[in-house]
Amino acid sequence: MHTWRQRIRPEQIRELSLIGLIVIALLIFGWQIENFLSARTFNRITSSVAIVGMVAIGQTLVVLTRNIDLSVGSIVGFTAYFVGSQLAANPGLPPVAAIVLAVLTGGALGLVNGLIVAYGRVPAIITTLGTLAIYRMLLINYANARTITVDSLPSWVVELSRQTLFAIGDFAVRPLFAITIAAMVVFQFVLAYTVFGRRLYAIGSNPEAARFAGLPAQRTVLAAFVLCGMLAGMAGFLFLARFGNITAVAGQGIELESVAAVVVGGVNTFGGSGTVLGALLGAFLIDLLGQGLLRWLGISEFWRDALLGLLILLAVASDSVILGWLRRVWAAPALRAEVSNER
C-alpha cells in the first residue's frame, strides 16, 4: 500500500481518469455515429489537437506559476499570417528558417507579456487581456484586409499536413501531430527532471516562500511567458500548414480552448501542480467531445463554446474537491508516521 502511494501521485489519477473518459466517449460515439471510429475522424481530431495541444503545453508552463496567458490566440494568428506572408514573398525560404521565424516571432510577443507581468508586476490576466487586443490589432493592420492563400505558399507547406510519417492500418500519424507529441515529451521531461521545472512548481505553490528561499521568481515567470509565446508561435506555423488560407481572424478562440485543455487536464489554476501530458489529454478529450456531439446531436459552434465553459467549471470544481480529497488521503500515512515519531 505504502509503495504504490509513493509511486502514484493524485495528479496521475486525473490523467488516468481522462484516458478512461476518452475511451468511454469513443465507445459511445462509435456506437451512436456510423463510421465515427474511422481514420478520417482520427485525422481530423489529431490535426486540431496538434494546434490546440501545442498552445496548451505553453499555457501549462504559465499556469503552473499561478498566471495565465489570454493572448495566445492572437499570437497564433499573428504568427501564422506573418510567416505565411514571408513564405509567399520568399518561396525559397527553407522549412527550418520558417519554423525558426515562427518560434522567434511568438517568443518576442511572449517576452512583452513576461516583462510586464514579471517586472512590471501587472496581473497576468489584465496584461494578456490587453495584449490579446493589441496583437490582434497589429495583425489586422499588417494584413490590411488581404488573405494568405494556399496557391501563394510553397508546396511543402501545403503538403506538410497531408504527409504520413507512419500508419497503423488505416490510421495515419501525420507530422503536425507528431511535432506536438514531441514537444509534450520534451516539456514533460523538463517539468519532471530539471531545476527550471521544479522552480515553476515551487513558485506556483507558494510565490512568497519561493522568493524568500532565493529562487529567481521574476526570471522564471519571464521564461515561462517567453516559452509560452514560442510554443504559440510554433502553433501558428502548424495553423498555417493545416489551413493555408489565413486571414486577420486566424487563431480566434484558441485562448479559450487552451485554457479549457489545461484546466480539464488537471493543471491547478492556482499553480503548483499539473503536467503537460494532462493538458494534451484535456485537449484531445475536448476536441473528441466537440466532434462527436457535432455529428451526433448537430450542435452549433455556440453550444460548443458553452460546452467548453461547462467543462472548465466542472474541472475546477473537481480539482478543488476530488483532488483535494486525494491529496489528503495520500498525505495521511506520512502525517500519522510523523505524529507517532514525535510521541
Side-chain angles (χ1 to χ4, degrees):
M1 177 72 75
H2 185 61
T3 302
W4 69 262
R5 283 178 188 272
Q6 290 178 325
R7 293 181 178 178
I8 301 177
R9 304 187 314 275
E11 289 77 13
Q12 292 174 315
I13 301 295
R14 167 66 71 88
E15 293 165 4
L16 292 173
S17 67
L18 283 172
I19 294 173
L21 288 174
I22 289 171
V23 171
I24 292 171
L26 285 171
L27 292 175
I28 293 175
F29 291 141
W31 173 43
Q32 292 292 329
I33 304 170
E34 185 177 359
N35 295 326
F36 183 80
L37 300 178
S38 64
R40 183 179 179 183
T41 302
F42 176 78
N43 291 334
R44 186 184 295 118
I45 292 176
T46 53
S47 296
S48 177
V49 168
I51 298 169
V52 177
M54 183 68 73
V55 180
I57 292 170
Q59 190 76 259
T60 299
L61 304 179
V62 171
V63 173
L64 284 176
T65 65
R66 204 176 287 194
N67 290 293
I68 193 169
D69 191 344
L70 298 178
S71 69
V72 287
S74 296
I75 294 177
V76 169
F78 183 86
T79 304
Y81 193 97
F82 177 69
V83 175
S85 66
Q86 297 304 308
L87 286 170
N90 306 281
L93 194 68
V96 174
I99 293 173
V100 170
L101 180 61
V103 171
L104 291 179
T105 301
L109 299 178
L111 176 64
V112 174
N113 291 335
L115 288 173
I116 297 173
V117 173
Y119 292 93
R121 299 188 182 279
V122 180
I125 191 169
I126 296 174
T127 298
T128 57
L129 190 61
T131 54
L132 177 151
I134 293 171
Y135 296 160
R136 183 63 60 179
M137 186 55 62
L138 288 176
L139 171 56
I140 291 171
N141 290 333
Y142 181 75
N144 196 23
R146 297 188 300 269
T147 300
I148 302 295
T149 57
V150 173
D151 56 6
S152 68
L153 297 171
S155 58
W156 65 265
V157 178
V158 180
E159 293 170 358
L160 186 62
S161 63
R162 303 170 185 170
Q163 293 176 351
T164 299
L165 290 179
F166 63 90
I168 303 175
D170 294 331
F171 294 85
V173 175
R174 294 181 173 172
L176 302 190
F177 186 60
I179 290 171
T180 299
I181 293 296
M184 182 273 294
V185 171
V186 169
F187 282 95
Q188 185 77 9
F189 177 85
V190 168
L191 291 180
Y193 299 107
T194 68
V195 174
F196 175 71
R198 290 193 290 272
R199 284 175 178 172
L200 290 177
Y201 285 113
I203 291 169
S205 298
N206 194 325
E208 293 300 322
R211 278 193 287 270
F212 284 130
L215 296 181
Q218 289 178 307
R219 291 204 306 271
T220 304
V221 171
L222 175 63
F225 273 98
V226 172
L227 287 171
C228 182
M230 293 172 69
L231 289 166
M234 186 66 207
F237 175 79
L238 300 182
F239 191 97
L240 173 67
R242 183 188 179 195
F243 296 105
N245 297 315
I246 308 297
T247 66
V249 298
Q252 278 189 346
I254 287 182
E255 57 277 344
L256 176 61
E257 294 181 25
S258 68
V259 171
V262 166
V263 175
V264 171
V267 182
N268 193 336
T269 53
F270 296 104
S273 67
T275 64
V276 292
L277 172 60
L280 191 61
L281 289 173
F284 195 93
L285 176 61
I286 289 170
D287 202 86
L288 172 63
L289 292 175
Q291 295 283 346
L293 293 175
L294 178 64
R295 293 177 58 181
W296 184 20
L297 303 177
I299 64 170
S300 67
E301 287 294 320
F302 300 104
W303 280 106
R304 184 175 180 275
D305 290 342
L307 174 64
L308 287 179
L310 178 61
L311 286 173
I312 291 174
L313 291 175
L314 291 175
V316 172
S318 66
D319 187 70
S320 61
V321 177
I322 299 176
L323 280 185
W325 176 77
L326 284 173
R327 291 185 185 106
R328 288 193 296 272
V329 170
W330 255 248
L335 290 175
R336 285 197 295 267
E338 184 177 346
V339 170
S340 61
N341 289 334
E342 290 178 355
R343 292 177 179 175

